[in-house]
């Protein structure tokens, strides 16, 4: 949902467009639509309460049409009876959408106890469905929910001098609170749930120490990261090139780790735009997600265990103390999520470092696939969880960077590999694609899909048919490599500077490049502030950015 429950419950009348912008049309873990109060509403309330809470809107059918529902006695009694059956304290509110009433039911997340359905089941929301937990997954979930979370325990011996004011004020700013001085630090931490009163004094909790102390490991044994560079060594027992121990407020710790890993790894350079940049071995967003998951989901009951990050020549391993949280298994970790440290996760979400719905794992898969790197892999024991990122790819780093510039385009791994082949060969045929991908791939369907996605264009018919990169792709990222595209951009900037006024047609003639490509490059240069567009579409020319 784009709007918070508190915001939505303050409204009385909205337009349909405003409603959909606030709520969204797609049901998910925190949103469900009902045409009327159903008999099984208690199941949805129980499942939401045991996941992350959410909103049930009554008066909207499966086609997203407003059937209407007033908060009259029958509707109110039906909602409250369902809530009473599962012992969840819901809130209700009537909202008119283009004059049609709907009833909103706010469902809180319940922690510290189990919420069961009237027939004794424990449900979790998975997408828009309510799924029962069974067997070992249920047993681990029950243990995780009913145990007192370590993150809320006070940490003795921590004083105001130990607080990192920059980290605390960053967290306060994310929650739209004013900056504080050291004198008011503990009071504000208590308001955030990061400190509690003990013997008349405010004491930071485990979560407070991890998020806002200068050196968390001084107060919590194991609250640090061990980084080992074993490049050249095939196993963990091989000789290491370097070792580092890091301890800092969690958000800063992640940034320090990312920098350390990237500096220790191989340094690749590629020309991106007009700049030569160092390209990390692993996509930065994937690296950040792996480290955040390890630090935010680790088991702080295991106070002596550290997060261990090990860099090998062909992979990175991130090991976190504690087994998989709650009911999460290796098989369902892309679909299920459970926060062992919900207060930590809430703080990181306010800092926009994580997503509360567990989408970070999906982003890791997408980030690796975007550069044709292998999927992340997980292994788990009762004592730890390890994620492994591998660095081998079937294409060069230059090709990986080229593909990453198309990250906004939804593509399969096979489609990305075909694009790289077309980039190198200038064209692809059914035969060359089959040689690349193997006999099990439906090549005609693959190429047809790429044509309809405007990734490739078809040239010729029947036996002489081949495919080239589409004009849209060439205009966006070029076809002859990052360096060649950068040279064109530099030539265009030089032409604009020397001629003072340059049209697309003139630039295309000068560079011997199709107009579509030149137009795309000039649009990019304009958006980056390197040149300036003057005039309407047909009469548009480009002038130096410094000209007024």
């Amino acid at each position: 949902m784009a709007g918070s429950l508190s915001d939505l419950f303050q409204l009385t009348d909205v337009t349909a467009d405003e409603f959909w912008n606030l709520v969204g049309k797609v049901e998910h873990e925190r949103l469900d639509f009902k045409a009327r109060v159903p008999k099984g509403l208690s199941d949805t309330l129980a499942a939401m309460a045991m996941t992350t809470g959410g909103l049930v809107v009554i008066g909207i059918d499966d086609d997203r049409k407003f059937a209407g529902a007033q908060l009259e006695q029958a509707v109110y009694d039906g909602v409250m009876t369902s809530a009473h059956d599962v012992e969840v304290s819901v809130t209700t509110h009537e909202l008119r959408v283009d004059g049609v009433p709907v009833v909103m039911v706010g469902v809180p997340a319940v922690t510290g106890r189990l919420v069961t359905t009237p027939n004794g089941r424990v449900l979790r929301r998975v997408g828009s469905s309510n799924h029962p937990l069974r067997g070992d997954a249920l047993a681990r979930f029950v243990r995780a929910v009913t145990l007192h979370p370590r993150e809320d325990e006070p940490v003795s011996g921590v004083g105001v001098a130990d607080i990192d004011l920059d980290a605390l004020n960053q967290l306060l700013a994310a929650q739209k609170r004013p900056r504080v001085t050291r004198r008011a630090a503990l009071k504000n931490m208590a308001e955030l749930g990061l400190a509690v009163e003990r013997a008349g004094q405010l004491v930071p909790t485990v979560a407070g120490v991890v998020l806002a102390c200068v050196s968390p490991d001084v107060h919590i044994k194991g609250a640090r990261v061990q980084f080992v560079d074993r490049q050249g060594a095939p196993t963990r027992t091989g000789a290491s090139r370097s070792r580092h121990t890091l301890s800092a407020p969690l958000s800063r710790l992640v940034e320090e780790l990312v920098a350390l890993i990237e500096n220790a790894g191989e340094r690749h350079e590629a020309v991106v735009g007009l700049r030569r940049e160092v390209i990390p071995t692993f996509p930065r967003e994937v690296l950040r997600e792996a480290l955040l998951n390890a630090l935010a989901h680790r088991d702080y009951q295991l106070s002596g265990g550290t997060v261990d990050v090990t860099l090998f020549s062909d992979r990175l391993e991130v090991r976190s103390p504690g087994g998989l949280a709650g009911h999460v298994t290796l098989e369902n970790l892309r679909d299920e999520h459970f926060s062992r440290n919900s207060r930590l996760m809430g703080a990181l979400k306010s800092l926009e470092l994580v997503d509360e719905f567990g989408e970070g794992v999906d982003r890791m898969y997408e980030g690796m696939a975007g550069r044709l790197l292998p999927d992340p892999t997980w292994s788990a024991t009762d004592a730890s969880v390890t994620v492994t990122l591998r660095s081998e790819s079937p294409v060069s780093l230059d090709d990986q960077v080229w593909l990453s510039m198309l990250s906004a385009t939804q593509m399969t791994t096979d489609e990305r590999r075909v694009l790289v082949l077309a980039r190198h060969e200038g064209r692809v045929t059914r035969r060359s694609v089959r040689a690349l991908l193997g006999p099990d791939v439906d090549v005609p369907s693959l190429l047809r899909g790429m044509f309809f996605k405007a990734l490739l264009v078809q040239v010729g018919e029947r036996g002489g048919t081949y495919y080239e990169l589409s004009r849209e792709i060439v205009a966006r990222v070029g076809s002859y490599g990052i360096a060649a595209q950068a040279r064109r951009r530099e030539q265009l900037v030089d032409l604009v500077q020397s001629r003072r006024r340059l049209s697309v047609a003139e630039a295309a003639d000068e560079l011997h490049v199709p107009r579509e490509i030149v137009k795309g490059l000039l649009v990019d240069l304009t958006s980056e502030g390197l040149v300036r567009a003057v005039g309407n579409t047909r009469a548009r020319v480009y002038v130096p950015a410094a000209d007024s």
Side-chain angles (χ1 to χ4, degrees):
M1 292 177 295
S4 67
L5 283 181
S6 59
D7 293 337
L8 290 169
F9 276 52
Q10 297 301 313
L11 303 174
T12 55
D13 291 275
V14 294
T15 66
D17 287 343
E18 289 171 337
F19 178 82
W20 294 126
N21 286 334
L22 286 167
V23 175
K25 287 189 175 182
V26 179
E27 292 181 329
H28 50 72
E29 287 92 341
R30 289 175 53 83
L31 180 64
D32 206 336
F33 298 112
K34 305 292 185 186
R36 60 188 61 85
V37 179
K39 291 183 179 179
L41 179 60
S42 58
D43 284 3
T44 298
L45 301 182
M48 280 189 174
M50 282 284 87
T51 310
T52 54
L55 176 69
V56 179
V57 184
I58 299 171
I60 299 178
D61 63 22
D62 290 341
D63 296 326
R64 302 300 180 263
K65 294 180 180 178
F66 293 94
Q70 290 182 301
L71 190 54
E72 56 189 10
Q73 195 65 54
V75 171
Y76 181 79
D77 288 348
V79 171
M80 289 303 170
T81 297
S82 297
H84 178 269
D85 287 344
V86 295
E87 298 182 21
V88 174
S89 299
V90 302
T91 54
T92 58
H93 177 66
E94 182 178 305
L95 176 68
R96 290 187 173 270
V97 183
D98 282 344
V100 179
V102 296
V103 175
M104 300 193 298
V105 181
V107 185
V110 174
T111 59
R113 67 176 178 88
L114 288 177
V115 176
T116 62
T117 65
N119 59 4
R121 293 179 301 158
V122 176
L123 303 177
R124 292 273 294 177
R125 289 282 288 183
V126 179
S128 61
S129 302
N130 307 321
H131 284 223
L133 297 180
R134 298 185 177 91
D136 183 59
L138 174 59
R140 289 190 292 111
F141 181 75
V142 171
R143 287 196 299 270
V145 168
T146 55
L147 283 175
H148 177 72
R150 174 88 201 285
E151 66 171 348
D152 288 335
E153 292 181 3
V155 181
S156 60
V158 183
V160 68
D162 299 305
I163 304 302
D164 187 306
L165 277 184
D166 288 339
L168 176 57
N169 279 315
Q170 181 187 18
L171 186 56
L172 291 169
Q175 301 197 16
K176 297 181 174 55
R177 292 170 175 259
R179 292 178 61 86
V180 298
T181 62
R182 191 169 298 280
R183 184 175 181 179
L186 290 177
K187 177 178 179 292
N188 280 266
M189 288 180 68
E191 292 174 356
L192 295 177
L194 302 178
V196 294
E197 187 174 340
R198 288 292 184 273
Q201 291 187 326
L202 290 175
V203 181
T205 62
V206 168
V209 170
V210 170
L211 288 166
C213 268
V214 176
S215 299
D217 64 334
V218 172
H219 313 285
I220 301 174
K221 185 179 180 182
R224 58 182 179 270
V225 177
Q226 304 281 355
F227 172 74
V228 182
D229 181 357
R230 294 190 186 279
Q231 294 178 89
T235 67
R236 285 182 171 273
T237 58
S240 62
R241 300 204 311 185
S242 64
R243 291 175 176 267
H244 300 269
T245 299
L246 294 86
S247 182
L250 198 151
S251 60
R252 189 182 308 152
L253 180 59
V254 171
E255 300 306 321
E256 292 178 1
L257 274 167
V258 169
L260 183 60
I261 294 167
E262 290 183 350
N263 289 333
E266 294 185 26
R267 299 178 67 81
H268 308 283
E269 288 191 353
V271 177
V272 180
L274 293 177
R275 303 179 303 278
R276 181 171 294 276
E277 294 186 0
V278 175
I279 306 300
T281 301
F282 303 99
R284 190 163 292 155
E285 69 275 14
V286 175
L287 194 56
R288 285 169 54 84
E289 288 290 349
L291 296 171
L292 278 166
N293 278 340
L295 291 164
H297 291 297
R298 65 154 291 174
D299 189 350
Y300 285 96
Q301 298 282 356
L302 305 174
S303 59
T306 61
V307 171
D308 297 329
V309 180
T310 309
L311 180 64
F312 296 94
S313 297
D314 62 344
R315 68 192 187 279
L316 180 80
E317 295 180 1
V318 182
R319 176 186 171 277
S320 179
L324 290 166
H327 62 296
V328 177
T329 66
L330 293 175
E331 291 72 30
N332 68 17
L333 60 80
R334 290 195 69 176
D335 301 314
E336 297 278 1
H337 57 275
F338 182 87
S339 296
R340 176 183 277 125
N341 305 303
S342 58
R343 199 175 299 280
L344 269 179
M345 290 298 291
L348 294 176
K349 184 177 185 300
S350 71
L351 291 167
E352 298 184 350
L353 295 176
V354 300
D355 185 281
E356 71 175 312
F357 300 128
E359 293 177 358
V361 173
D362 285 337
R363 282 197 292 271
M364 290 175 66
Y365 277 88
E366 292 164 3
M368 295 294 277
R371 280 178 44 181
L372 285 178
L373 293 166
D375 286 344
T377 58
W378 273 264
S379 59
T381 68
D382 290 340
S384 67
V385 177
T386 302
V387 61
T388 300
L389 306 177
R390 297 192 174 276
S391 57
E392 66 268 15
S393 173
V395 301
S396 69
L397 186 76
D398 184 69
D399 288 328
Q400 291 181 44
V401 175
W402 184 77
L403 283 172
S404 71
M405 295 166 71
L406 296 169
S407 59
T409 302
Q410 293 295 316
M411 288 185 283
T412 66
T413 296
D414 286 346
E415 287 171 343
R416 290 186 176 95
R417 295 190 67 186
V418 171
L419 281 185
V420 171
L421 180 63
R423 181 193 188 212
H424 283 280
E425 303 296 330
R427 62 178 64 179
V428 297
T429 63
R430 290 187 178 184
R431 178 177 295 179
S432 65
V433 173
R434 189 170 289 110
L436 174 72
L437 301 179
D440 296 332
V441 175
D442 186 348
V443 173
S445 294
L446 174 66
L447 292 172
R448 187 163 53 249
M450 296 183 71
F451 170 77
F452 285 120
K453 286 184 178 181
L455 301 174
L456 298 175
V457 292
Q458 180 179 328
V459 180
E461 297 180 355
R462 298 186 180 180
T465 300
Y466 62 89
Y467 297 83
E468 296 178 335
L469 293 176
S470 70
R471 288 183 175 182
E472 290 87 346
I473 294 295
V474 173
R476 287 168 59 189
V477 293
S479 60
Y480 303 109
I482 302 298
Q485 192 76 335
R487 284 194 296 273
R488 285 184 185 145
R489 287 165 55 96
E490 291 172 347
Q491 289 172 324
L492 282 172
V493 172
D494 289 342
L495 279 172
V496 171
Q497 292 286 352
S498 61
R499 297 194 179 189
R500 313 305 295 176
R501 294 173 66 86
L502 184 71
S503 69
V504 170
E506 291 168 340
D509 290 341
E510 183 73 25
L511 299 182
H512 306 290
V513 173
R515 293 189 182 188
E516 292 83 0
I517 296 176
V518 169
K519 183 178 180 181
L521 291 173
L522 284 169
V523 168
D524 288 343
L525 292 171
T526 301
S527 66
E528 295 168 21
L530 298 173
V531 301
R532 191 163 59 87
V534 177
N536 297 324
T537 302
R538 292 191 175 183
R540 180 167 295 165
V541 295
Y542 295 85
V543 301
D547 288 359
S548 58

